[in-house]
Amino acid sequence: AQSVTQPDIHITVSEGASLELRCNYSYGATPYLFWYVQSPGQGLQLLLKYFSGDTLVQGIKGFEAEFKRSQSSFNLRKPSVHWSDAAEYFCAVGSITSGTYKYIFGTGTRLKVLA
Amino acid sequence: DTEVTQTPKHLVMGMTNKKSLKCEQHMGHRAMYWYKQKAKKPPELMFVYSYEKLSINESVPSRFSPECPNSSLLNLHLHALQPEDSALYLCASSQDVQGLNSPLHFGNGTRLTVT
């Protein structure tokens, strides 16, 4: 069955430090992968997506993610974190099951940024 | 700014009340979704409309009744809810429900409290 795992429930980094959020997926075919961010009381905002081609994907707000098929991973990175990046981050995979297209979300990683 | 607009932002209702949540998008998307999100959890899919027809109902209780009057509007009618239905209700849209490369665009949600 398709699944998405975000191993880290919470991550704390200092402002200006680098960031990597982990995402592992289980999907039989070529995955369609997404990272979303959710600030408190807000909806989810798309950061970036991977469908095919270059395995290093650039997104908004200075984020990037790298697709590694051999590791079934799609980790999100940012070289220098800003205090405004504190939020919940969700990895998601688009999948087709019995002809029905669905998004499967990971459980999320809450990022705290120290001043 | 989000391109999917949800009203109201907050709603408090008693268990005998009838209320409706509204969602609107003007991106020309043909798929619209309702998600329920409890605190510190990922969004859970409730309903999917494709070309104004209900295509997915994730075994949602009948006290939740979706409606898609046209391609830009999506409603969720609420009746006889329970306190455990209190959550953030998110509306989303995508270009095409069958498009694996069609990311979700979320509204900011309606924070529902059932008393």
Side-chain angles (χ1 to χ4, degrees):
Chain A
Q2 296 89 351
S3 64
V4 177
T5 302
Q6 293 181 248
D8 304 305
I9 297 175
H10 299 279
I11 282 188
T12 300
V13 299
S14 298
E15 192 171 17
S18 63
L19 171 70
E20 182 170 32
L21 302 182
R22 295 184 291 165
C23 173
N24 293 97
Y25 66 90
S26 172
Y27 187 63
T30 300
Y32 292 78
L33 297 160
F34 309 86
W35 273 100
Y36 287 87
V37 61
Q38 185 177 32
S39 297
Q42 303 290 311
L44 280 72
Q45 181 183 21
L46 179 69
L47 284 175
L48 46 79
K49 57 186 184 286
Y50 172 78
F51 302 140
S52 64
D54 193 345
T55 55
L56 186 62
V57 180
Q58 301 298 320
I60 63 171
K61 304 185 179 187
F63 285 93
E64 66 178 26
E66 186 171 13
F67 170 63
K68 293 185 177 180
R69 184 185 298 275
S70 61
Q71 298 177 20
S72 298
S73 68
F74 188 56
N75 294 348
L76 182 71
R77 301 194 294 248
K78 186 169 185 178
S80 178
V81 171
H82 188 263
W83 64 266
S84 60
D85 293 324
E88 187 87 22
Y89 291 80
F90 292 99
C91 181
V93 63
S95 71
I96 292 182
T97 305
S98 302
T100 301
Y101 179 65
K102 293 184 181 181
Y103 293 83
I104 300 171
F105 285 90
T107 50
T109 297
R110 182 167 296 275
L111 175 65
K112 182 177 179 180
V113 180
L114 301 176
Chain B
D1 290 337
T2 180
E3 297 169 311
V4 177
T5 303
Q6 291 188 243
T7 56
K9 292 184 179 179
H10 301 275
L11 178 63
V12 179
M13 60 185 291
M15 290 188 286
T16 58
N17 291 160
K18 286 185 180 181
K19 297 287 185 182
S20 296
L21 309 184
K22 297 185 183 302
C23 175
E24 188 169 4
Q25 58 89 13
H26 293 289
M27 295 178 281
H29 289 176
R30 304 316 302 265
M32 296 187 76
Y33 308 73
W34 280 115
Y35 283 84
K36 174 183 177 180
Q37 187 180 26
K38 301 286 272 185
K40 302 184 190 299
K41 298 290 187 182
E44 299 173 30
L45 182 64
M46 300 175 71
F47 302 103
V48 180
Y49 273 83
S50 176
Y51 292 84
E52 301 162 45
K53 294 189 187 314
L54 183 64
S55 64
I56 296 176
N57 177 342
E58 292 286 273
S59 302
V60 179
S62 60
R63 57 186 184 270
F64 295 92
S65 176
E67 178 195 20
C68 189
N70 59 56
S71 60
S72 299
L73 295 174
L74 185 66
N75 299 322
L76 186 62
H77 303 297
L78 314 173
H79 174 56
L81 294 192
Q82 303 297 311
E84 59 264 29
D85 296 321
S86 298
L88 182 67
Y89 288 84
L90 294 164
C91 174
S93 69
S94 67
Q95 193 166 359
D96 186 336
V97 72
Q98 294 300 330
L100 290 176
N101 60 352
S102 183
L104 295 170
H105 296 254
F106 283 89
N108 284 331
T110 294
R111 174 73 61 188
L112 174 67
T113 302
V114 181
T115 61

